[in-house]
Amino acid sequence: KRVMEVTIEHPDDEMLILKREQGSENFALQTLPEGRKTRSEYFTNQPGTFLADLSIQDAKSQENFTYPQDQVITAIKTYDGLVATIHSAKIDNINHASLSFSVDENLIQAGDSPQEGIVIGEQTDASPNVRLEAKNLNEKVRNWVFIIPQSKQLLLSKRTEELTDIIEEESEVSQ
């Protein structure tokens, strides 16, 4: 319930934006093309779960790593101002991702702490403020590229056609 918005940018300029109103269970596709309808909430909610139960394997130094041109850039923004930016790509059939965390000062409310912090590695502080949370997360992930499971890579690379269906014309349905 903490994630407010997910933006997925593909190298071919396709951009997918999902937003959830505070208190709502479901995300809505903001970039719905004309002539298409959202497939189901099940599909639109999936990308917002990327950071939940994130399992990271095998870290490589980012210093000697170059993402290919077909990398996908995903931004996950929370209501309390934490922003996760994930660069990801499949290279030699292996899913790679690097993470960085920042803060959207416009969303921070003084003194607010997240209900549930994002945990990567061992939990050190049960309720950090957002700035401290971003700092702590960056200390764990900075300068590293990680191998992530296929299930997580699929969340980062969703495309509009995976989340939508073509709207059938009335005349086609009645025939």
Side-chain angles (χ1 to χ4, degrees):
K1 307 282 189 268
R2 187 175 176 200
V3 175
M4 173 181 77
E5 181 179 298
V6 177
T7 303
I8 301 173
E9 292 181 60
H10 290 274
D12 61 2
D13 293 329
E14 178 181 350
M15 183 180 288
L16 192 134
I17 300 171
L18 297 161
K19 286 189 178 180
R20 174 170 50 192
E21 295 298 320
Q22 194 150 17
S24 176
E25 294 284 323
N26 300 306
F27 285 87
L29 181 61
Q30 303 298 300
T31 51
L32 187 63
E34 191 172 324
R36 297 191 75 91
K37 62 181 179 180
T38 302
R39 185 168 289 165
S40 84
E41 293 163 346
Y42 171 78
F43 294 106
T44 56
N45 289 338
Q46 287 178 340
T49 67
F50 174 79
L51 293 171
D53 303 320
L54 179 60
S55 159
I56 292 177
Q57 309 165 6
D58 299 331
K60 298 179 183 183
S61 172
Q62 202 168 31
E63 187 177 310
N64 299 321
F65 187 87
T66 304
Y67 275 99
Q69 289 184 345
D70 65 347
Q71 72 172 303
V72 175
I73 301 170
T74 305
I76 300 173
K77 188 182 289 189
T78 66
Y79 290 108
D80 57 355
L82 184 68
V83 180
T85 302
I86 303 107
H87 292 254
S88 64
K90 184 173 258 188
I91 304 167
D92 296 330
N93 215 27
I94 298 172
N95 302 308
H96 294 83
S98 58
L99 296 88
S100 63
F101 295 87
S102 60
V103 174
D104 182 335
E105 295 291 337
N106 295 322
L107 293 173
I108 291 182
Q109 297 175 5
D112 272 0
S113 294
Q115 294 174 341
E116 267 183 54
I118 295 168
V119 179
I120 295 177
E122 292 182 26
Q123 179 76 16
T124 55
D125 185 347
S127 59
N129 69 45
V130 177
R131 287 181 197 90
L132 181 60
E133 182 180 20
K135 178 181 178 283
N136 290 340
L137 288 167
N138 279 327
E139 286 174 3
K140 294 176 181 180
V141 299
R142 183 184 3 239
N143 302 321
W144 296 103
V145 175
F146 303 97
I147 295 175
I148 59 171
Q150 177 69 9
S151 59
K152 292 294 186 176
Q153 177 66 27
L154 291 172
L155 300 178
L156 296 175
S157 58
K158 290 288 184 195
R159 289 194 169 268
T160 301
E161 64 265 11
E162 294 175 75
L163 303 179
T164 62
D165 288 318
I166 296 171
I167 297 173
E168 304 266 336
E169 293 293 326
E170 288 288 325
S171 59
E172 292 177 19
V173 174
S174 61
Q175 291 179 357

